[in-house]
Amino acid sequence: MASGSIENIRNIGIIAHIDAGKTTVTERILYYTGKAHKMGEVHEGTTVMDWMEEEQERGITITSAATTCMWKGKQINIIDTPGHVDFTAEVERSLRVLDGAVAVFSGVEGVEAQSETVWRQADKYAVPRLAFVNKMDRVGASLDQTVEDIRDRLGATPVVLTLPIGDGQDFQGIIDLIGMRALYFCGDDGAQVTPEDIPASLMGGAEERREDMLETVAENDDALMERYIEGQEIGEDDLRAGIRAATLSARIVPVLCGAAFKNKGVQPLLNAICHYLPSPLDMPAVKGVDPEEEGKILERKPSAQEPLAALAFKIAADRHGELTFLRVYSGVLKANTRVYNVVKDKKESVTRVYRMHANKREQLNEIGPGEICVVVGPKFTVTGDTLCDSREPIILERMSFPQTVISMALEPKTQDDKVRLDDVLQTLAKEDPTFTKKVDRETGQLIISGMGELHLEVLKHRMLREFNIDANVGKPKVAYKETVVGAAEAEGRFIRQSGGRGHYAVVTLRVEPLAGEGQVEFVNEVVGGEIPKEFIPAVEAGVRSTAGGGVVTGYPLVNVRITLLDGSYHAVDSSDIAFAAAGSMALRAAVEKVGVDLLEPIMALEVLVSEECLGDVIGDLNSRRAMIGRMDQRGGLRVIHALAPLAEMFGYATAIRSLTQGRATYTMEPREYRGVPKQIYDKIVA
């Protein structure tokens, strides 16, 4: 692929809080670019991007979907991401491989809880972004309030490029502050953009806002600042160049407005994507580590002449086989070739290469740098693995995912379901890094874990619909963790003699609290030859295995430093098995000596409620052990910010619907782990 065509690629994500209108915006983009022949609607279950049955029935995006369209000579690769916190991993892995993003905000609600989450995820990967304030046709919509929210709550510097003409139901079009013209979107589908003079009544306000825009852009560009101070005219091209440079360096966030559902304002957004968001050539060369030389950093530029480097960011099950989603950073990936999975140290076959359009595919012979594609063939590759040229290996940075906070028991209904269940769960776990499974050692029950009630419910329905496996599920359970409350030392002795070679290992450990998030730190302080160094890994393996299964309560042991102090061995009878067992016994003895505390997941809660229902909602939250933080005013509604234990929040959707006659909304996301009160601890342990 020639360098010139790489300049015309835009890899973007559509990110937002749930129900801000991401999928509706994407549907309009596909229609206006000619990729779709009619507009799908979320409420009708007819959208292109929400193609799963679960998505169409629930009216929400569950899995990120990729597509490609063309606009004015630019190839726009789009990933439409979920807005619900239970599916935040989909946003995380998408942003890891994207060059830019469009953050969609509801003009009525402004910046909401999940808006902050996805914005922080974009900050983490230094993704330049635009803001699109949607739903300007709704009563109570306010561009100015949303811009203030972006500035105050997200810490960004918003620069308004378009203004609304009319408020609420009187919303008619937008004012383009760069070209200083009014834009109206004519026809039932809004496809015809008609430029006209700005209405005289709005001209004064538009000139004032354009001056604000010029000043902010000039502050980030020395050449423009000089011309601005001298009062020289700044042309449209120069202004766009200044906005682009400041956007790519994340110094500003261009803000546009519209009403996607009413087909207004989407074409200027498409223009802005092409003008201001980066091509792969605008991004720094991707960095990775050399697997053959520890600590050596390697770079790959987006060029067909560079060695192949691609990151697997998603695995999806398909009736024809597994689909591996890749971002190709350098080199050319061809069909019917073999590539090297450097993480697994395996050669992988790439039999077919596709460009995706939601759940449809376009087959390609090859794909070049800067592209997003799907391949069929790899057997060992999982999310985060690097595929590259075996002669020039590189390991690209993996993405990280949050810990699961909720679990439930799963019991297949028939023997046939039981036989097939393990394969299905492995497939789902490979697709979704935030879904895990394990067998409870005491009860023998199969336990599945995820990010929330909705997450597990969707997975359960997928098992039934896609894989025809029926199962009984238990009530959701909180993923508690245990941690030590002090320091203690103990010895573990594993000595067995039953004729022939025996088992001999003695281990002395110290346990102590460790600040952190879910950490188990193992430290070896053995000096001399009390324990030969070849047995140290076995001690660590035994200790970590026991910590993972819990010591006192059966929940994983975390935030603990385990120090190997001393021990002894036998020249003939010592073995890895013996030292693993002795390490496990020593850990159990030390933890039981010092005692444990239970930690529970605390959720950050944001409730949007009317004034008349405020007291009832606060009273209910207090009964759930919630800690009310602050209350804000948003239009005619109150916003309650609180921290609440997950254990008390099961069924909250039904409860708040009943308390407010269905008029309140809320969002909830994991925040931290904290110790449980003693009465709760006693109840759980009992």
Side-chain angles (χ1 to χ4, degrees):
M1 179 177 284
S3 171
S5 56
I6 299 177
E7 289 177 2
N8 292 326
I9 294 174
R10 300 290 183 270
N11 293 312
I12 68 158
I14 311 292
I15 60 174
H17 182 92
I18 190 169
D19 203 32
K22 296 179 309 303
T23 302
T24 303
V25 169
T26 309
E27 291 295 314
R28 270 50 180 179
I29 287 174
L30 296 181
Y31 180 77
Y32 295 135
T33 57
K35 190 70 178 184
H37 300 299
K38 68 173 187 175
M39 299 179 191
E41 304 296 354
V42 173
H43 63 279
E44 295 174 358
T46 58
T47 62
V48 172
M49 302 303 277
D50 287 349
W51 55 271
M52 291 173 58
E53 284 185 53
E54 287 285 322
E55 293 177 315
Q56 293 170 353
E57 288 178 5
R58 296 174 186 273
I60 62 170
T61 302
I62 290 170
T63 181
S64 54
T67 189
T68 299
C69 56
M70 299 295 297
W71 182 256
K72 297 185 177 178
K74 299 290 191 288
Q75 175 186 317
I76 305 175
N77 299 323
I78 301 173
I79 297 182
D80 178 30
T81 65
H84 197 287
V85 67
D86 282 17
F87 310 105
T88 189
E90 292 285 334
V91 186
E92 182 82 20
R93 59 184 173 189
S94 298
L95 286 171
R96 168 65 183 84
V97 299
L98 291 169
D99 299 325
V102 175
V104 180
F105 302 95
S106 165
V108 180
E109 286 82 15
V111 174
E112 299 175 86
Q114 188 65 6
S115 309
E116 295 187 52
T117 301
V118 297
W119 195 270
R120 287 196 300 269
Q121 288 173 301
D123 283 340
K124 177 179 175 181
Y125 296 112
V127 177
R129 66 216 81 146
L130 305 174
F132 182 70
V133 182
N134 194 25
K135 303 188 179 183
M136 294 305 298
D137 60 316
R138 297 269 292 273
V139 175
S142 170
L143 175 64
D144 290 341
Q145 184 57 56
T146 304
V147 168
E148 282 304 307
D149 282 356
I150 292 171
R151 181 179 286 110
D152 297 340
R153 296 183 64 176
L154 304 180
T157 303
V159 175
V160 176
L161 304 188
T162 63
L163 296 175
I165 299 174
D167 297 324
Q169 294 179 343
D170 296 327
F171 178 65
Q172 302 165 33
I174 63 171
I175 296 173
D176 170 16
L177 293 178
I178 293 177
M180 284 303 282
R181 53 187 171 257
L183 300 178
Y184 296 95
F185 304 88
C186 305
D188 292 339
D189 58 3
Q192 183 183 339
V193 183
T194 305
E196 295 183 11
D197 292 337
I198 298 172
S201 60
L202 301 177
M203 180 58 85
E207 288 175 340
E208 188 178 319
R209 297 300 287 268
R210 188 175 198 272
E211 198 66 23
D212 293 341
M213 174 189 68
L214 281 169
E215 185 176 335
T216 306
V217 174
E219 284 173 358
N220 292 282
D221 188 302
D222 292 340
L224 286 183
M225 176 57 81
E226 191 174 327
R227 292 169 60 184
Y228 177 72
I229 291 173
E230 292 175 359
Q232 296 180 24
E233 183 67 28
I234 298 174
E236 290 186 30
D237 291 343
D238 291 339
L239 185 52
R240 287 195 183 97
I243 294 171
R244 176 178 174 79
T247 302
L248 297 188
S249 59
R251 295 195 299 272
I252 67 168
V253 176
V255 179
L256 298 95
C257 65
F261 184 63
K262 294 294 177 66
N263 311 319
K264 291 178 170 63
V266 176
Q267 294 94 326
L269 174 63
L270 274 165
N271 292 335
I273 289 169
C274 297
H275 286 313
Y276 311 126
L277 290 183
S279 77
L281 294 178
D282 294 312
M283 303 302 289
V286 68
K287 289 183 170 62
V289 296
D290 188 338
E292 298 171 351
E293 187 175 333
E294 189 174 348
K296 183 178 179 182
I297 303 298
L298 302 174
E299 287 189 351
R300 293 286 186 269
K301 296 175 183 175
S303 165
Q305 281 67 52
E306 291 265 314
L308 176 67
L311 183 71
F313 67 94
K314 177 173 175 171
I315 309 295
D318 185 82
R319 62 182 183 275
H320 301 303
E322 255 177 22
L323 302 178
T324 303
F325 286 70
L326 297 176
R327 163 69 190 263
V328 181
Y329 284 97
S330 64
V332 176
L333 180 64
K334 297 182 179 181
N336 299 311
T337 57
R338 287 174 69 77
V339 295
Y340 179 49
N341 183 330
V342 63
V343 178
K344 300 290 191 298
D345 191 23
K346 299 273 190 183
K347 286 288 185 74
E348 294 273 40
S349 295
V350 174
T351 56
R352 289 186 179 86
V353 178
Y354 297 105
R355 183 175 281 135
M356 294 300 289
H357 179 49
N359 60 334
K360 297 181 174 62
R361 314 178 208 169
E362 173 193 348
Q363 190 165 343
L364 306 170
N365 294 322
E366 63 178 44
I367 200 152
E371 290 271 20
I372 290 172
C373 68
V374 162
V375 299
V376 174
K379 303 293 184 194
F380 308 101
T381 301
V382 298
T383 299
D385 284 358
T386 302
L387 299 181
C388 61
D389 187 327
S390 59
R391 294 164 298 183
E392 300 277 355
I394 183 173
I395 300 177
L396 302 176
E397 179 192 358
R398 302 175 73 92
M399 54 288 280
S400 57
F401 299 105
Q403 292 184 337
T404 57
V405 296
I406 188 171
S407 60
M408 61 172 61
L410 190 67
E411 187 178 303
K413 287 188 175 180
T414 68
Q415 187 60 34
D416 180 54
D417 289 333
K418 188 174 183 179
V419 170
R420 294 185 296 118
L421 181 61
D422 194 53
D423 287 341
V424 170
L425 292 179
Q426 284 183 358
T427 298
L428 292 173
K430 196 173 182 183
E431 277 191 36
D432 185 348
T434 58
F435 170 68
T436 61
K437 65 181 180 71
K438 68 174 185 178
V439 175
D440 188 290
R441 291 190 297 189
E442 292 184 6
T443 65
Q445 279 185 311
L446 178 64
I447 307 295
I448 60 173
S449 303
M451 296 303 299
E453 287 182 274
L454 179 60
H455 187 201
L456 293 183
E457 188 179 330
V458 166
L459 288 168
K460 181 187 74 174
H461 287 173
R462 285 192 63 196
M463 276 186 266
L464 179 61
R465 281 181 163 165
E466 294 179 30
F467 304 100
N468 297 314
I469 288 183
D470 204 0
N472 295 317
V473 294
K475 288 185 178 179
K477 292 185 178 179
V478 176
Y480 293 103
K481 299 183 187 299
E482 63 180 32
T483 189
V484 293
V485 295
E489 296 179 11
E491 181 183 80
R493 304 173 68 86
F494 188 77
I495 302 173
R496 303 286 188 274
Q497 195 69 44
S498 57
R501 183 176 175 179
H503 294 286
Y504 183 95
V506 178
V507 167
T508 302
L509 297 175
R510 179 176 65 243
V511 297
E512 57 193 316
L514 174 69
E517 294 185 13
Q519 294 185 50
V520 176
E521 184 180 294
F522 180 82
V523 180
N524 175 27
E525 289 187 359
V526 171
V527 293
E530 290 92 344
I531 301 177
K533 62 181 181 181
E534 62 264 28
F535 292 132
I536 302 297
V539 176
E540 181 176 359
V543 161
R544 289 191 179 278
S545 175
T546 300
V551 177
V552 176
T553 63
Y555 296 108
L557 178 68
V558 298
N559 297 352
V560 60
R561 178 182 287 115
I562 303 164
T563 306
L564 177 58
L565 300 173
D566 200 358
S568 65
Y569 76 104
H570 187 278
V572 176
D573 290 347
S574 288
S575 63
D576 285 347
I577 294 173
F579 272 101
S584 175
M585 294 165 69
L587 176 63
R588 288 185 179 280
V591 171
E592 287 171 3
K593 185 185 293 186
V594 75
V596 299
D597 193 4
L598 267 185
L599 305 175
E600 63 180 342
I602 302 295
M603 312 299 283
L605 183 69
E606 187 176 286
V607 185
L608 199 63
V609 62
S610 60
E611 194 76 46
E612 59 265 28
C613 299
L614 184 64
D616 291 338
V617 171
I618 289 177
D620 180 67
L621 287 175
N622 287 331
S623 73
R624 296 172 184 269
R625 295 196 284 128
M627 294 164 283
I628 309 294
R630 69 179 198 276
M631 283 186 283
D632 300 331
Q633 193 81 31
R634 189 178 295 167
L637 300 174
R638 298 298 293 272
V639 185
I640 305 169
H641 300 270
L643 295 175
L646 175 62
E648 306 290 347
M649 298 307 293
F650 292 137
Y652 189 61
T654 304
I656 195 170
R657 195 179 300 125
S658 173
L659 284 170
T660 65
Q661 290 80 49
R663 288 180 291 175
T665 60
Y666 78 97
T667 56
M668 192 165 58
E669 62 177 296
R671 173 60 58 87
E672 61 191 12
Y673 270 82
R674 287 186 186 173
V676 302
K678 186 173 187 312
Q679 67 271 22
I680 305 293
Y681 174 90
D682 294 340
K683 185 178 177 182
I684 293 169
V685 173

